[in-house]
Amino acid sequence: LPRVADPAAAQRRRELARALIAAAPGRVPAPFATVPDGASPFVLPLADPRPGELIPALARRGVQAVRLWALPHPLLPARAFPQAARRRATTVVVPLHQHLRPADVERIAAALEATA
């Protein structure tokens, strides 16, 4: 429990998010491109028109990216929300865990730069 409830975790996640946003200019959609004080992001969303190509490209560079929101909730009338559908279709996330080591952050940043 102390690892999970670490008060420094949110600050570390903000630092990681800011560093990776800088490594991926123009690829992090609003409102996630800025990290407000007090936030504790658990992933960094990236906008990419070809997520099916980006995920394996990042994996080849040692970064596990996923599509968290690819499918709408079954009760959601998805056609009524076309902007959300576009966001789901183009969003890939990379990790922002507070225990990422500096070498991990450098690898993720390099992978983001290489796949731009």
Side-chain angles (χ1 to χ4, degrees), residues 3-107:
R3 260 188 19 184
V4 176
D6 180 359
Q11 176 62 34
R12 175 71 175 141
R13 288 177 180 222
R14 286 191 298 275
E15 292 167 0
L16 294 172
R18 290 173 180 145
L20 294 178
I21 289 167
R27 296 176 73 189
V28 179
F32 307 104
T34 58
V35 183
D37 292 338
S40 184
F42 73 105
V43 293
L44 181 69
L46 302 169
D48 193 280
R50 297 176 299 207
E53 294 176 23
L54 177 60
I55 292 170
L58 290 170
R60 287 190 294 276
R61 290 166 176 83
V63 177
Q64 184 177 6
V66 297
R67 294 182 68 199
L68 289 183
W69 306 290
L71 300 174
H73 188 280
L75 297 178
L76 177 75
R79 291 181 197 186
F81 302 97
Q83 288 180 316
R86 281 190 294 281
R87 177 75 54 106
R88 278 192 310 276
T90 60
T91 300
V92 171
V93 299
V94 295
L96 288 176
H97 195 275
Q98 66 270 16
H99 293 294
L100 289 173
R101 301 165 299 175
D104 298 324
V105 178
E106 290 173 16
R107 180 174 30 82

